[in-house]
Amino acid sequence: MSVINYKVVLIGNSGCGKTSLFRKLCTGEFNEKNISTIGVEKKSLEFKININKNRIKEKQNFILDLFDTAGQEKFRAITLNYFKGCDGIILIYDISNRMSFDNVECWVNSIKESISDASKYIIYLIGNKSDLIDNEFKEREVTEEEAKKACEEYNMIWGGEISIRDIMFNELQDVMEKLVRYIYDKIGVKEDKNKGNKKIGKYKKKHKKICF
């Protein structure tokens, strides 16, 4: 069976839960003491998903090369460079932190500067730390309605609100499988005309502006 490979990048403000999501997918566990990512970390995840191919449902193997990026401003130039050639972008914000949501627009603008063709990728917006609100440790600062409106405005897909701390591993995998299906439905298989292999796009546009 052939394998379809996609590149997916995790982005968002520092402290919003990118590394927690990344490491829970890698280990199945939530670590309370995750250290902030310095630069970029990579993990390849395998999925076997039912897809519709030529109007017939069949199992397809996917490999997701997932990159966890640093949210701090001093690493922003490194992060922006990883947008090149990506097929999916998971943009995470903290529903108890207004600034992390207000910066969604800036993240989207940075993506557009890096990838000129919007048909080449999916932006998947996820609100994290719902457990803090449910347990009344913090007040909600971003409503779900606001997030859905932002998805419509910036052409993103709403991935829902989750608690990376509390979500079961199989439920988190379901979230990722939905992303894979969205990417497949939009992009399909990218073929390299010269080598016949799956292609990672190359974009020559330089970054002239860094947000935050």
Side-chain angles (χ1 to χ4, degrees), residues 93-98 127-144 161-166:
Y93 69 94
D94 176 351
I95 67 175
S96 67
N97 184 316
R98 184 75 202 184
N128 184 33
K129 303 193 181 181
S130 61
D131 58 290
L132 298 181
I133 308 303
D134 295 339
N135 295 322
E136 299 183 350
F137 291 125
K138 286 190 176 182
E139 293 184 1
R140 173 186 287 275
E141 294 189 2
V142 184
T143 67
E144 191 169 353
E161 293 182 348
I162 65 172
S163 164
I164 295 171
R165 174 200 295 272
D166 295 338

mmCIF file of all heavy atoms in Angstrom, residues 93-98 127-144 161-166:
data_model
loop_
_atom_site.group_PDB
_atom_site.id
_atom_site.type_symbol
_atom_site.label_atom_id
_atom_site.label_comp_id
_atom_site.label_asym_id
_atom_site.label_seq_id
_atom_site.Cartn_x
_atom_site.Cartn_y
_atom_site.Cartn_z
ATOM 1 N N TYR A 93 -4.410 28.323 20.515
ATOM 2 C CA TYR A 93 -4.482 29.453 21.437
ATOM 3 C C TYR A 93 -5.049 28.954 22.761
ATOM 4 O O TYR A 93 -5.614 27.863 22.862
ATOM 5 C CB TYR A 93 -5.347 30.583 20.853
ATOM 6 C CG TYR A 93 -6.815 30.253 20.760
ATOM 7 C CD1 TYR A 93 -7.697 30.612 21.784
ATOM 8 C CD2 TYR A 93 -7.330 29.555 19.665
ATOM 9 C CE1 TYR A 93 -9.052 30.280 21.709
ATOM 10 C CE2 TYR A 93 -8.673 29.230 19.585
ATOM 11 C CZ TYR A 93 -9.531 29.597 20.612
ATOM 12 O OH TYR A 93 -10.860 29.268 20.548
ATOM 13 N N ASP A 94 -4.884 29.752 23.796
ATOM 14 C CA ASP A 94 -5.343 29.438 25.145
ATOM 15 C C ASP A 94 -6.655 30.187 25.378
ATOM 16 O O ASP A 94 -6.685 31.418 25.323
ATOM 17 C CB ASP A 94 -4.259 29.891 26.130
ATOM 18 C CG ASP A 94 -4.639 29.706 27.593
ATOM 19 O OD1 ASP A 94 -5.806 29.378 27.880
ATOM 20 O OD2 ASP A 94 -3.759 29.918 28.452
ATOM 21 N N ILE A 95 -7.747 29.458 25.624
ATOM 22 C CA ILE A 95 -9.049 30.114 25.755
ATOM 23 C C ILE A 95 -9.143 30.977 27.010
ATOM 24 O O ILE A 95 -10.077 31.779 27.144
ATOM 25 C CB ILE A 95 -10.215 29.095 25.718
ATOM 26 C CG1 ILE A 95 -10.194 28.178 26.951
ATOM 27 C CG2 ILE A 95 -10.185 28.286 24.442
ATOM 28 C CD1 ILE A 95 -11.401 27.260 27.004
ATOM 29 N N SER A 96 -8.167 30.844 27.913
ATOM 30 C CA SER A 96 -8.144 31.683 29.111
ATOM 31 C C SER A 96 -7.154 32.840 28.981
ATOM 32 O O SER A 96 -6.907 33.563 29.950
ATOM 33 C CB SER A 96 -7.787 30.840 30.344
ATOM 34 O OG SER A 96 -6.453 30.371 30.275
ATOM 35 N N ASN A 97 -6.588 33.004 27.791
ATOM 36 C CA ASN A 97 -5.586 34.045 27.556
ATOM 37 C C ASN A 97 -5.938 34.816 26.286
ATOM 38 O O ASN A 97 -5.747 34.327 25.175
ATOM 39 C CB ASN A 97 -4.198 33.419 27.429
ATOM 40 C CG ASN A 97 -3.096 34.438 27.278
ATOM 41 O OD1 ASN A 97 -3.219 35.398 26.532
ATOM 42 N ND2 ASN A 97 -2.000 34.216 27.974
ATOM 43 N N ARG A 98 -6.461 36.016 26.448
ATOM 44 C CA ARG A 98 -6.944 36.797 25.309
ATOM 45 C C ARG A 98 -5.842 37.103 24.299
ATOM 46 O O ARG A 98 -6.071 37.067 23.087
ATOM 47 C CB ARG A 98 -7.553 38.114 25.823
ATOM 48 C CG ARG A 98 -8.190 38.965 24.717
ATOM 49 C CD ARG A 98 -9.496 38.368 24.303
ATOM 50 N NE ARG A 98 -9.891 38.796 22.978
ATOM 51 C CZ ARG A 98 -11.046 38.470 22.408
ATOM 52 N NH1 ARG A 98 -11.896 37.705 23.064
ATOM 53 N NH2 ARG A 98 -11.348 38.862 21.208
ATOM 54 N N GLY A 127 -8.626 25.631 20.279
ATOM 55 C CA GLY A 127 -8.587 26.318 21.560
ATOM 56 C C GLY A 127 -8.232 25.330 22.658
ATOM 57 O O GLY A 127 -8.879 24.290 22.799
ATOM 58 N N ASN A 128 -7.206 25.631 23.432
ATOM 59 C CA ASN A 128 -6.728 24.710 24.471
ATOM 60 C C ASN A 128 -7.034 25.238 25.880
ATOM 61 O O ASN A 128 -7.398 26.389 26.060
ATOM 62 C CB ASN A 128 -5.218 24.503 24.316
ATOM 63 C CG ASN A 128 -4.667 23.475 25.295
ATOM 64 O OD1 ASN A 128 -5.352 22.513 25.653
ATOM 65 N ND2 ASN A 128 -3.456 23.696 25.754
ATOM 66 N N LYS A 129 -6.875 24.366 26.854
ATOM 67 C CA LYS A 129 -7.006 24.632 28.295
ATOM 68 C C LYS A 129 -8.455 24.816 28.741
ATOM 69 O O LYS A 129 -8.736 25.601 29.654
ATOM 70 C CB LYS A 129 -6.142 25.832 28.691
ATOM 71 C CG LYS A 129 -4.659 25.634 28.341
ATOM 72 C CD LYS A 129 -3.766 26.643 28.992
ATOM 73 C CE LYS A 129 -2.309 26.403 28.594
ATOM 74 N NZ LYS A 129 -1.378 27.351 29.232
ATOM 75 N N SER A 130 -9.345 24.047 28.142
ATOM 76 C CA SER A 130 -10.742 24.083 28.584
ATOM 77 C C SER A 130 -10.883 23.574 30.016
ATOM 78 O O SER A 130 -11.850 23.910 30.704
ATOM 79 C CB SER A 130 -11.627 23.261 27.638
ATOM 80 O OG SER A 130 -11.230 21.902 27.626
ATOM 81 N N ASP A 131 -9.915 22.768 30.478
ATOM 82 C CA ASP A 131 -9.976 22.245 31.850
ATOM 83 C C ASP A 131 -9.883 23.363 32.885
ATOM 84 O O ASP A 131 -10.486 23.283 33.959
ATOM 85 C CB ASP A 131 -8.846 21.228 32.081
ATOM 86 C CG ASP A 131 -7.466 21.821 31.833
ATOM 87 O OD1 ASP A 131 -7.141 22.100 30.666
ATOM 88 O OD2 ASP A 131 -6.719 22.013 32.801
ATOM 89 N N LEU A 132 -9.133 24.423 32.559
ATOM 90 C CA LEU A 132 -9.001 25.542 33.497
ATOM 91 C C LEU A 132 -10.328 26.250 33.697
ATOM 92 O O LEU A 132 -10.648 26.707 34.796
ATOM 93 C CB LEU A 132 -7.948 26.535 32.992
ATOM 94 C CG LEU A 132 -6.512 26.008 32.856
ATOM 95 C CD1 LEU A 132 -5.596 27.117 32.381
ATOM 96 C CD2 LEU A 132 -6.017 25.433 34.176
ATOM 97 N N ILE A 133 -11.106 26.321 32.615
ATOM 98 C CA ILE A 133 -12.409 26.975 32.687
ATOM 99 C C ILE A 133 -13.414 26.068 33.396
ATOM 100 O O ILE A 133 -14.158 26.504 34.274
ATOM 101 C CB ILE A 133 -12.927 27.324 31.278
ATOM 102 C CG1 ILE A 133 -11.860 28.104 30.493
ATOM 103 C CG2 ILE A 133 -14.225 28.093 31.350
ATOM 104 C CD1 ILE A 133 -11.386 29.355 31.153
ATOM 105 N N ASP A 134 -13.405 24.796 33.023
ATOM 106 C CA ASP A 134 -14.348 23.840 33.610
ATOM 107 C C ASP A 134 -14.162 23.722 35.127
ATOM 108 O O ASP A 134 -15.131 23.554 35.875
ATOM 109 C CB ASP A 134 -14.187 22.464 32.967
ATOM 110 C CG ASP A 134 -14.568 22.455 31.492
ATOM 111 O OD1 ASP A 134 -15.316 23.370 31.074
ATOM 112 O OD2 ASP A 134 -14.124 21.553 30.765
ATOM 113 N N ASN A 135 -12.906 23.796 35.567
ATOM 114 C CA ASN A 135 -12.612 23.649 36.995
ATOM 115 C C ASN A 135 -12.550 24.992 37.731
ATOM 116 O O ASN A 135 -12.178 25.032 38.913
ATOM 117 C CB ASN A 135 -11.289 22.902 37.181
ATOM 118 C CG ASN A 135 -11.367 21.483 36.671
ATOM 119 O OD1 ASN A 135 -12.386 20.808 36.817
ATOM 120 N ND2 ASN A 135 -10.297 21.001 36.057
ATOM 121 N N GLU A 136 -12.890 26.066 37.015
ATOM 122 C CA GLU A 136 -12.971 27.416 37.585
ATOM 123 C C GLU A 136 -11.648 27.918 38.154
ATOM 124 O O GLU A 136 -11.613 28.744 39.066
ATOM 125 C CB GLU A 136 -14.073 27.478 38.654
ATOM 126 C CG GLU A 136 -15.458 27.151 38.100
ATOM 127 C CD GLU A 136 -16.555 27.275 39.150
ATOM 128 O OE1 GLU A 136 -16.216 27.423 40.348
ATOM 129 O OE2 GLU A 136 -17.729 27.234 38.760
ATOM 130 N N PHE A 137 -10.536 27.424 37.576
ATOM 131 C CA PHE A 137 -9.235 27.960 37.969
ATOM 132 C C PHE A 137 -9.000 29.325 37.304
ATOM 133 O O PHE A 137 -8.321 30.181 37.852
ATOM 134 C CB PHE A 137 -8.105 26.994 37.566
ATOM 135 C CG PHE A 137 -8.116 25.719 38.357
ATOM 136 C CD1 PHE A 137 -8.161 24.498 37.717
ATOM 137 C CD2 PHE A 137 -8.072 25.740 39.738
ATOM 138 C CE1 PHE A 137 -8.157 23.311 38.437
ATOM 139 C CE2 PHE A 137 -8.081 24.566 40.475
ATOM 140 C CZ PHE A 137 -8.128 23.350 39.821
ATOM 141 N N LYS A 138 -9.565 29.463 36.106
ATOM 142 C CA LYS A 138 -9.448 30.720 35.367
ATOM 143 C C LYS A 138 -10.768 31.033 34.686
ATOM 144 O O LYS A 138 -11.604 30.148 34.487
ATOM 145 C CB LYS A 138 -8.332 30.632 34.313
ATOM 146 C CG LYS A 138 -6.936 30.674 34.873
ATOM 147 C CD LYS A 138 -5.912 30.837 33.754
ATOM 148 C CE LYS A 138 -4.508 30.980 34.313
ATOM 149 N NZ LYS A 138 -3.504 31.194 33.237
ATOM 150 N N GLU A 139 -10.924 32.298 34.298
ATOM 151 C CA GLU A 139 -12.120 32.703 33.562
ATOM 152 C C GLU A 139 -11.869 32.598 32.066
ATOM 153 O O GLU A 139 -10.758 32.796 31.590
ATOM 154 C CB GLU A 139 -12.498 34.146 33.919
ATOM 155 C CG GLU A 139 -12.954 34.326 35.353
ATOM 156 C CD GLU A 139 -13.399 35.747 35.634
ATOM 157 O OE1 GLU A 139 -13.358 36.580 34.694
ATOM 158 O OE2 GLU A 139 -13.780 36.020 36.778
ATOM 159 N N ARG A 140 -12.929 32.276 31.345
ATOM 160 C CA ARG A 140 -12.837 32.240 29.883
ATOM 161 C C ARG A 140 -12.637 33.655 29.348
ATOM 162 O O ARG A 140 -13.352 34.585 29.723
ATOM 163 C CB ARG A 140 -14.121 31.640 29.301
ATOM 164 C CG ARG A 140 -14.199 31.702 27.782
ATOM 165 C CD ARG A 140 -15.549 31.233 27.281
ATOM 166 N NE ARG A 140 -15.700 29.790 27.412
ATOM 167 C CZ ARG A 140 -15.277 28.917 26.516
ATOM 168 N NH1 ARG A 140 -14.680 29.338 25.408
ATOM 169 N NH2 ARG A 140 -15.455 27.626 26.709
ATOM 170 N N GLU A 141 -11.656 33.821 28.458
ATOM 171 C CA GLU A 141 -11.413 35.124 27.845
ATOM 172 C C GLU A 141 -11.724 35.133 26.352
ATOM 173 O O GLU A 141 -11.759 36.199 25.732
ATOM 174 C CB GLU A 141 -9.965 35.564 28.077
ATOM 175 C CG GLU A 141 -9.647 35.835 29.544
ATOM 176 C CD GLU A 141 -8.286 36.475 29.757
ATOM 177 O OE1 GLU A 141 -7.591 36.755 28.748
ATOM 178 O OE2 GLU A 141 -7.921 36.701 30.928
ATOM 179 N N VAL A 142 -11.943 33.937 25.782
ATOM 180 C CA VAL A 142 -12.274 33.826 24.349
ATOM 181 C C VAL A 142 -13.460 32.885 24.202
ATOM 182 O O VAL A 142 -13.425 31.755 24.697
ATOM 183 C CB VAL A 142 -11.075 33.273 23.526
ATOM 184 C CG1 VAL A 142 -11.429 33.261 22.045
ATOM 185 C CG2 VAL A 142 -9.819 34.086 23.786
ATOM 186 N N THR A 143 -14.509 33.338 23.542
ATOM 187 C CA THR A 143 -15.680 32.485 23.345
ATOM 188 C C THR A 143 -15.495 31.615 22.109
ATOM 189 O O THR A 143 -14.724 31.943 21.200
ATOM 190 C CB THR A 143 -16.961 33.324 23.181
ATOM 191 O OG1 THR A 143 -16.882 34.059 21.938
ATOM 192 C CG2 THR A 143 -17.146 34.278 24.345
ATOM 193 N N GLU A 144 -16.228 30.521 22.081
ATOM 194 C CA GLU A 144 -16.184 29.636 20.920
ATOM 195 C C GLU A 144 -16.732 30.343 19.688
ATOM 196 O O GLU A 144 -16.256 30.115 18.571
ATOM 197 C CB GLU A 144 -16.989 28.367 21.207
ATOM 198 C CG GLU A 144 -16.796 27.275 20.177
ATOM 199 C CD GLU A 144 -17.391 25.953 20.615
ATOM 200 O OE1 GLU A 144 -17.831 25.844 21.774
ATOM 201 O OE2 GLU A 144 -17.417 25.023 19.786
ATOM 202 N N GLU A 161 -12.541 23.145 20.889
ATOM 203 C CA GLU A 161 -11.871 23.422 22.150
ATOM 204 C C GLU A 161 -11.547 22.099 22.844
ATOM 205 O O GLU A 161 -12.388 21.205 22.905
ATOM 206 C CB GLU A 161 -12.765 24.269 23.063
ATOM 207 C CG GLU A 161 -13.006 25.673 22.547
ATOM 208 C CD GLU A 161 -13.858 26.510 23.484
ATOM 209 O OE1 GLU A 161 -14.453 25.943 24.431
ATOM 210 O OE2 GLU A 161 -13.932 27.739 23.268
ATOM 211 N N ILE A 162 -10.349 22.002 23.366
ATOM 212 C CA ILE A 162 -9.931 20.770 24.029
ATOM 213 C C ILE A 162 -9.131 21.105 25.287
ATOM 214 O O ILE A 162 -8.741 22.259 25.504
ATOM 215 C CB ILE A 162 -9.067 19.866 23.120
ATOM 216 C CG1 ILE A 162 -7.736 20.553 22.778
ATOM 217 C CG2 ILE A 162 -9.818 19.465 21.868
ATOM 218 C CD1 ILE A 162 -6.748 19.657 22.051
ATOM 219 N N SER A 163 -8.906 20.100 26.088
ATOM 220 C CA SER A 163 -7.938 20.171 27.178
ATOM 221 C C SER A 163 -6.873 19.125 26.879
ATOM 222 O O SER A 163 -7.149 17.924 26.950
ATOM 223 C CB SER A 163 -8.601 19.863 28.522
ATOM 224 O OG SER A 163 -7.612 19.579 29.505
ATOM 225 N N ILE A 164 -5.705 19.575 26.513
ATOM 226 C CA ILE A 164 -4.634 18.626 26.219
ATOM 227 C C ILE A 164 -4.281 17.819 27.468
ATOM 228 O O ILE A 164 -3.895 16.662 27.396
ATOM 229 C CB ILE A 164 -3.401 19.357 25.653
ATOM 230 C CG1 ILE A 164 -3.752 19.987 24.296
ATOM 231 C CG2 ILE A 164 -2.219 18.396 25.492
ATOM 232 C CD1 ILE A 164 -2.694 20.907 23.741
ATOM 233 N N ARG A 165 -4.465 18.425 28.624
ATOM 234 C CA ARG A 165 -4.233 17.713 29.878
ATOM 235 C C ARG A 165 -5.182 16.522 30.023
ATOM 236 O O ARG A 165 -4.771 15.410 30.366
ATOM 237 C CB ARG A 165 -4.441 18.658 31.070
ATOM 238 C CG ARG A 165 -4.360 17.956 32.423
ATOM 239 C CD ARG A 165 -5.042 18.802 33.494
ATOM 240 N NE ARG A 165 -4.356 20.040 33.709
ATOM 241 C CZ ARG A 165 -3.351 20.214 34.566
ATOM 242 N NH1 ARG A 165 -2.932 19.187 35.293
ATOM 243 N NH2 ARG A 165 -2.775 21.374 34.715
ATOM 244 N N ASP A 166 -6.471 16.733 29.752
ATOM 245 C CA ASP A 166 -7.497 15.736 30.069
ATOM 246 C C ASP A 166 -7.914 14.843 28.893
ATOM 247 O O ASP A 166 -8.496 13.780 29.104
ATOM 248 C CB ASP A 166 -8.753 16.429 30.606
ATOM 249 C CG ASP A 166 -8.498 17.125 31.947
ATOM 250 O OD1 ASP A 166 -7.541 16.746 32.637
ATOM 251 O OD2 ASP A 166 -9.257 18.053 32.283
#
